[in-house]
Amino acid sequence: MGVIVQKYGGSSLATTERIRNVARRIIETKKKGNQVVAIVSAMGDSTDDLIALAKEISDRPPKREMDMLLSTGEQVSISLLAMAIESMGEDVISLTGQQAGIRTDDMYSKARIVNIVSTRLEQEIKDKSIVIVAGFQGINANDDITTLGRGGSDTTAVAIAAAVKAKVCEIYTDVDGVYAGDPRIIKGVKKLDVISYDEMLELATLGAAVLHPRSVEVAKIHGVTIHVRSSFTDTTGTLVQEVGDMEKEIIVTGIAHDMDVVKMAIFGVPDEPGVAYLIFDELAKAHINVQMIVQSAEKKGVNDIAFTVPKSDKEEALEIITRFKEKVGANAVIMKDGLARLSIVGAGMITNPTAAARMFMVLSKAGINLEMISTSDIKVSVIIDAKRCVEAAEIVAKEFDLVEEN
Ligand code: ASP
Ligand code: MG
């Protein structure tokens, strides 16, 4: 006997019929001789519906109350799923994040799991063999409910898989695995059989919406194998795990794009030690997700600093850099919307440095301008006009052989 952790996303639970389907799948897994801990998201779009409800009441709802509200979505699905399993004649119990011992820090709406007190959970696994846990939620040191950020149920699942030493953490979604790019925009893009933690982390962070980035980090730290697969079919999906000898010929594993990128720039920043620290420390303290930072070559004692943030953080970021401009006597700040980030990711780039040049070449042939560029050892990202992002993704996917031939 061993524990299998399964996580079901909102689309797999969107209707009572689908909830019954998930119940059958869990029971099947148990009948194969496993104990099952199932982590669930809220039904369908219900988290979005709750957010819309809050917006009707207040423009700036307190984050504590938002988490109180959003956590209810998962409570609906754990109870309904437990009822479905019970009605099929199996023993089962549902647990909230708190009951499952999920302790977080107190960053409401973006909390991080600090530890899992798994005594109760392990007892319930022994007693019942099937335990349903609410994803996305935990409690902080004051026993207040926190949530882990949109898509955070993945992270609950991986953290629980690590805590109970599960054999595997299966993430069920409405696609049958991880693709080399977004199948909705790149026609015929290939499905991956396996991807390394580092590559998956880059793709998830860059906006490929399959897995919550933090879940991949937690999986890497604890060596949890993630199996991303569909709840509507039985086909094998994609394994996310440590990959030993990467196929050397595969230079680029995947492409990610994000069409909600905003560029911010500060001109004429004094070229002195500590200035960059000041600004990015403030942005970090506000938990603004700064994605790309470029500092121009120094000219007459001043620099220009540009960076990108997600659209959702743009107002707060603008306030901060406007304050900063006054404080250090910079010349001007600007903000530019309507941009996209397109990235290629692949562990093979470490030993094959031609990838960036090939990407720039095919984009330039299409007349697509690169507003910003940044690279790491396994990634190259460019900022381009959002209107040309889909076309650019297709061109780059073809160049790196990421589409099926037909
Ligand atoms: N229900 C939450 C969301 O929609 C958490 C999740 O689905 O993982 O973001
Ligand atoms: Mg989700």
Side-chain angles (χ1 to χ4, degrees):
M1 274 266 245
V3 182
I4 290 188
V5 168
Q6 301 187 326
K7 179 260 171 176
Y8 293 93
S11 54
S12 306
L13 301 156
T15 61
T16 47
E17 190 39 49
R18 288 189 185 177
I19 289 178
R20 280 199 201 94
N21 174 51
V22 166
R24 280 189 284 270
R25 207 175 253 280
I26 291 170
I27 292 170
E28 229 171 79
T29 311
K30 185 207 150 180
K31 290 199 166 146
K32 284 183 189 144
N34 303 292
Q35 294 161 314
V36 186
V37 180
I39 316 307
V40 297
S41 296
M43 290 174 73
D45 297 328
S46 59
T47 307
D48 293 322
D49 298 342
L50 291 170
I51 292 172
L53 214 50
K55 288 263 153 73
E56 278 180 35
I57 298 279
S58 163
D59 286 341
R60 283 198 162 209
K63 288 190 166 164
R64 179 189 181 278
E65 303 310 331
M66 268 319 269
D67 283 9
M68 186 68 99
L69 177 69
L70 297 192
S71 66
T72 62
E74 272 68 17
Q75 226 169 298
V76 171
S77 38
I78 55 170
S79 48
L80 291 176
L81 180 56
M83 290 175 201
I85 291 170
E86 193 271 346
S87 76
M88 294 172 189
E90 294 291 330
D91 235 4
V92 58
I93 186 169
S94 67
L95 299 175
T96 63
Q98 170 166 28
Q99 290 169 327
I102 296 168
R103 304 287 162 82
T104 74
D105 63 16
D106 44 35
M107 273 309 292
Y108 292 112
S109 86
K110 296 180 187 174
R112 284 165 75 109
I113 297 177
V114 289
N115 72 316
I116 297 182
V117 183
S118 58
T119 344
R120 164 100 192 256
L121 178 61
E122 287 182 60
Q123 192 56 49
E124 299 290 3
I125 295 172
K126 262 197 212 124
D127 292 350
K128 304 264 196 283
S129 292
I130 301 178
V131 181
I132 314 296
V133 178
F136 175 58
Q137 55 176 264
I139 52 161
N140 64 17
N142 297 325
D143 288 354
D144 281 334
I145 296 174
T146 53
T147 66
L148 309 180
R150 297 306 306 270
S153 299
D154 295 344
T155 300
T156 308
V158 174
I160 284 184
V164 304
K165 304 194 174 55
K167 292 193 272 196
V168 61
C169 179
E170 299 179 332
I171 305 264
Y172 285 93
T173 168
D174 52 358
V175 290
D176 55 2
V178 180
Y179 282 76
D182 187 337
R184 287 166 305 183
I185 73 159
I186 307 175
K187 241 179 267 131
V189 68
K190 290 179 180 169
K191 189 178 110 186
L192 306 171
D193 295 327
V194 50
I195 182 169
S196 70
Y197 292 122
D198 289 334
E199 291 171 320
M200 191 64 234
L201 187 57
E202 288 287 3
L203 288 178
T205 311
L206 290 166
V210 208
L211 288 176
H212 192 237
R214 180 72 186 141
S215 71
V216 185
E217 254 170 44
V218 176
K220 182 181 175 173
I221 293 168
H222 298 282
V224 173
T225 298
I226 301 178
H227 183 183
V228 180
R229 56 192 308 196
S230 164
S231 58
F232 304 117
T233 68
D234 278 321
T235 47
T236 311
T238 303
L239 294 177
V240 185
Q241 59 187 32
E242 212 56 83
V243 178
D245 4 81
M246 289 293 298
E247 286 261 76
K248 287 286 186 295
E249 313 90 83
I250 300 172
I251 303 169
V252 173
T253 305
I255 298 180
H257 74 282
D258 178 352
M259 304 228 217
D260 280 333
V261 173
V262 176
K263 174 169 133 182
M264 325 272 301
I266 317 167
F267 298 110
V269 179
D271 186 35
E272 287 158 16
V275 171
Y277 161 69
L278 264 184
I279 166 134
F280 292 105
D281 183 49
E282 277 231 27
L283 291 164
K285 278 186 189 141
H287 287 252
I288 289 172
N289 190 4
V290 175
Q291 297 148 331
M292 211 190 253
I293 303 174
V294 175
Q295 177 172 294
S296 66
E298 178 270 339
K299 235 184 346 194
K300 296 194 182 124
V302 296
N303 295 312
D304 299 335
I305 296 178
F307 58 93
T308 63
V309 297
K311 219 175 234 167
S312 55
D313 285 341
K314 70 176 187 186
E315 270 99 23
E316 210 176 343
L318 186 63
E319 270 172 40
I320 290 174
I321 64 169
T322 307
R323 247 188 289 129
F324 169 86
K325 179 192 125 202
E326 304 302 328
K327 197 148 123 196
V328 304
N331 293 338
V333 297
I334 60 143
M335 180 167 92
K336 185 171 175 190
D337 235 321
L339 296 173
R341 182 186 50 223
L342 183 72
S343 311
I344 53 174
V345 170
M349 284 192 234
I350 299 173
T351 48
N352 195 322
T354 59
R358 278 170 66 189
M359 181 187 197
F360 301 161
M361 176 197 63
V362 290
L363 292 176
S364 76
K365 271 192 191 157
I368 294 170
N369 188 44
L370 312 181
E371 294 223 6
M372 285 167 87
I373 299 171
S374 88
T375 65
S376 78
D377 52 357
I378 69 164
K379 168 189 78 180
V380 179
S381 295
V382 295
I383 300 293
I384 57 177
D385 183 347
K387 288 201 267 328
R388 304 206 63 186
C389 183
V390 170
E391 180 194 352
E394 280 171 340
I395 293 171
V396 173
K398 273 211 193 83
E399 172 64 19
F400 291 103
D401 199 24
L402 302 176
V403 280
E404 303 284 0
E405 274 151 47
N406 46 16

